[in-house]
Amino acid sequence: EVKLLESGGGLVQPGGSMRLSCAASGFTFTDFYMNWIRQPAGKAPEWLGFIRNKANGYTTEYNPSVKGRFTISRDNTQNMLYLQMNTLRGEDTATYYCARRALGAVFDYWGQGVMVTVSS
Amino acid sequence: NIVLTQSPATLSVTPGESVSLSCRASQSISTSIHWYQQKSNESPRLLIKYASQSVSGITSRFSGSGSGTDFTLSINRVESEDFSIYYCQQSYSSLYTFGAGTKLELK
């Protein structure tokens, strides 16, 4: 059974940093692009970026809205996905999901999400 | 960016009715549209991929159609478990985007 479990959220001050983690299980982690998607309360999801699979060299792509502030990485020995968020702003307040991208850019599995609140 | 416009924003229905939800893209995206259901306090769940392809484990009451700029998610004989928010998402552009959603509520 595919499982994705995020952790690391909470309250952070504006300008601060936070790292989110996502533990993956139930599938061959290195075969898949892994994504971060966020969703402010009451709003639509926003794709943040992905890290490619082994066959594509684990390179990354980002939404311009977070490029330069957010970094996606993975530890393939531990089946872990990470999101490093720097210079956080109030508008970064949201529930953050990790999601597996199936063939063709469809998000077929999502984690349960973790809340990040940016506030003083 | 490709903008997806969903309509209506809210749809009030009675169980047993059949409904259609619309998603319109700001440019032609072939059939690169996918539909998700999000129940309250849950993560989104994939319902339909590539406009009309079924997803394993999803009831056949859900179906999709369309190509180019206009897409439709149809729900046959709405059941109580279907009252949720539905989002469309495009993968035609490398900057993936979602629509604002349609809330299906009980009339």
Side-chain angles (χ1 to χ4, degrees):
Chain A
E1 179 189 5
V2 173
K3 289 186 178 179
L4 299 170
L5 184 63
E6 302 93 339
S7 60
L11 176 66
V12 60
Q13 292 192 336
S17 297
M18 179 174 280
R19 188 176 86 153
L20 304 181
S21 302
C22 172
S25 61
F27 63 101
T28 303
F29 186 61
T30 53
D31 283 352
F32 289 87
Y33 286 40
M34 295 300 297
N35 296 255
W36 286 99
I37 297 167
R38 70 183 176 186
Q39 186 175 28
K43 297 190 176 181
E46 177 188 27
W47 173 78
L48 300 179
F50 64 59
I51 186 164
R52 293 181 173 89
N53 58 8
K54 180 179 181 180
N56 290 282
Y58 302 129
T59 52
T60 53
E61 299 290 343
Y62 297 95
N63 189 319
S65 67
V66 301
K67 192 173 183 179
R69 292 193 303 126
F70 289 12
T71 302
I72 298 173
S73 61
R74 61 195 296 166
D75 179 343
N76 299 301
T77 65
Q78 300 289 325
N79 288 359
M80 294 292 295
L81 177 71
Y82 301 102
L83 179 66
Q84 176 67 42
M85 303 184 290
N86 298 329
T87 319
L88 284 162
R89 310 164 180 162
E91 54 265 39
D92 296 318
T93 295
T95 296
Y96 285 71
Y97 297 99
C98 63
R100 190 181 84 166
R101 198 195 86 162
L103 186 65
V106 178
F107 304 117
D108 62 347
Y109 287 94
W110 299 58
Q112 88 290 345
V114 63
M115 279 212 58
V116 173
T117 301
V118 183
S119 175
S120 55
Chain B
N1 296 4
I2 296 175
V3 176
L4 300 177
T5 302
Q6 292 189 242
S7 61
T10 304
L11 189 55
S12 301
V13 303
T14 302
E17 285 187 58
S18 294
V19 298
S20 293
L21 285 60
S22 173
C23 177
R24 178 165 290 176
S26 58
Q27 66 182 73
S28 179
I29 58 171
S30 184
T31 57
S32 298
I33 201 78
H34 320 293
W35 292 93
Y36 300 84
Q37 176 193 56
Q38 187 174 31
K39 298 182 179 181
S40 182
N41 296 318
E42 293 186 8
S43 41
R45 177 176 69 149
L46 179 66
L47 292 179
I48 297 288
K49 58 184 180 180
Y50 287 100
S52 61
Q53 294 181 16
S54 60
V55 172
S56 176
I58 300 300
T59 173
S60 59
R61 294 187 300 101
F62 290 98
S63 61
S65 63
S67 66
T69 60
D70 292 318
F71 303 90
T72 300
L73 175 70
S74 298
I75 310 175
N76 191 28
R77 299 189 311 277
V78 168
E79 298 183 1
S80 57
E81 64 194 32
D82 300 335
F83 293 108
S84 313
I85 299 176
Y86 294 85
Y87 294 102
C88 55
Q89 173 243 327
Q90 64 80 22
S91 60
Y92 184 83
S93 160
S94 57
L95 176 53
Y96 310 138
T97 52
F98 290 81
T102 290
K103 182 179 182 180
L104 187 68
E105 66 175 23
L106 179 63
K107 182 185 280 186

